[in-house]
């Protein structure tokens, strides 16, 4: 099961995405196993159904998962497998990011890859939009809040900023 979660994490970088994709995975597997009565390869039939309900980005992620994920399922153990994967995902390290705007999926993936190279191999991002961090960002890691926003920098150097404004204003 751990191998499957690591494979899912290979192309899933946020806590929100991992929970959404696990729920979508459950929906696809249940559709194939319980409603379509799959006779062939579960992955191919689940991917065919996925294309009707998911974004191309999610379909691409699903298609990259191998037997360590798709081989977990049987008609009697769909919900249990998903619940176990969700429980394991809660144990992964988390980097909580506060950013001023919503990032494109490609930028989130780039940040996720950087975090995995620099911080921890299987870290997940939890993204929050906070306009107060304009000109930078803030993050929480290991229960410590770090603020690198322009607002904090101005607040820390009020005297210097006021002096510059008085000089040029």
């Amino acid at each position: 099961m751990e191998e499957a979660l690591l494979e899912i994490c290979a192309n899933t970088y946020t806590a929100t995405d991992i929970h959404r994709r696990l729920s979508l995975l459950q929906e696809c597997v249940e559709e194939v196993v319980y409603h379509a009565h799959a006779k062939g390869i579960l992955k191919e039939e689940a991917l065919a159904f996925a294309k009707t309900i998911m974004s191309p980005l999610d379909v691409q992620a699903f298609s990259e998962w191998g037997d360590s994920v798709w081989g977990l399922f049987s008609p009697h153990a769909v919900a249990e497998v998903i619940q176990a994967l969700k429980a394991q995902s809660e144990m992964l390290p988390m980097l909580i990011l506060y950013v001023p705007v919503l990032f494109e999926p490609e930028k989130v993936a780039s940040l996720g890859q950087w975090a995995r190279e620099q911080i921890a191999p299987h870290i997940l991002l939890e993204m929050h939009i906070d306009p107060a961090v304009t000109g930078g960002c803030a993050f929480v890691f290991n229960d410590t809040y770090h603020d690198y926003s322009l607002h904090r920098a101005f607040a820390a150097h009020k005297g210097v900023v006021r002096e510059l404004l008085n000089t040029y204003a």
Side-chain angles (χ1 to χ4, degrees):
M1 184 88 56
E2 185 176 332
E3 183 182 343
L5 182 61
L6 297 181
E7 188 167 351
I8 291 168
C9 285
N11 60 13
T12 306
Y13 298 100
T14 69
T16 302
D17 283 347
I18 203 162
H19 286 283
R20 188 185 77 256
R21 285 181 177 166
L22 288 173
S23 294
L24 289 168
L25 179 62
Q26 181 174 0
E27 185 176 351
C28 289
V29 171
E30 286 176 347
E31 171 65 25
V32 171
V33 170
Y34 300 131
H35 301 290
H37 305 290
K39 302 287 188 253
I41 300 170
L42 175 66
K43 178 180 178 178
E44 298 308 319
E45 293 179 8
L47 281 172
F49 177 70
K51 290 176 184 176
T52 68
I53 64 166
M54 289 187 215
S55 72
L57 196 60
D58 287 329
V59 172
Q60 176 65 34
F62 273 44
S63 68
E64 293 172 5
W65 299 344
D67 291 339
S68 68
V69 174
W70 297 102
L72 291 173
F73 298 101
S74 73
H76 307 292
V78 176
E80 295 82 2
V81 168
I82 295 295
Q83 290 306 320
L85 288 168
K86 284 182 179 179
Q88 281 186 339
S89 75
E90 297 291 329
M91 306 307 288
L92 294 172
M94 185 78 61
L95 175 63
I96 303 168
L97 288 173
Y98 296 91
V99 295
V101 296
L102 180 64
F103 290 164
E104 295 293 324
E106 296 80 18
K107 186 64 173 173
V108 173
S110 176
L111 282 169
Q113 290 167 352
W114 176 89
R116 289 181 180 172
E117 291 168 4
Q118 301 298 320
I119 302 170
H122 305 295
I123 196 165
L124 290 176
L125 305 177
E126 184 178 310
M127 307 286 289
H128 296 275
I129 309 303
D130 183 358
V133 297
T134 298
C137 74
F139 65 91
V140 176
F141 186 66
N142 289 337
D143 296 325
T144 304
Y145 180 79
H146 306 271
D147 187 348
Y148 294 96
S149 67
L150 196 56
H151 181 273
R152 187 214 40 91
F154 282 165
H157 301 354
K158 277 184 187 176
V160 173
V161 172
R162 190 174 295 126
E163 209 174 286
L164 285 170
L165 288 174
N166 286 337
T167 301
Y168 297 103

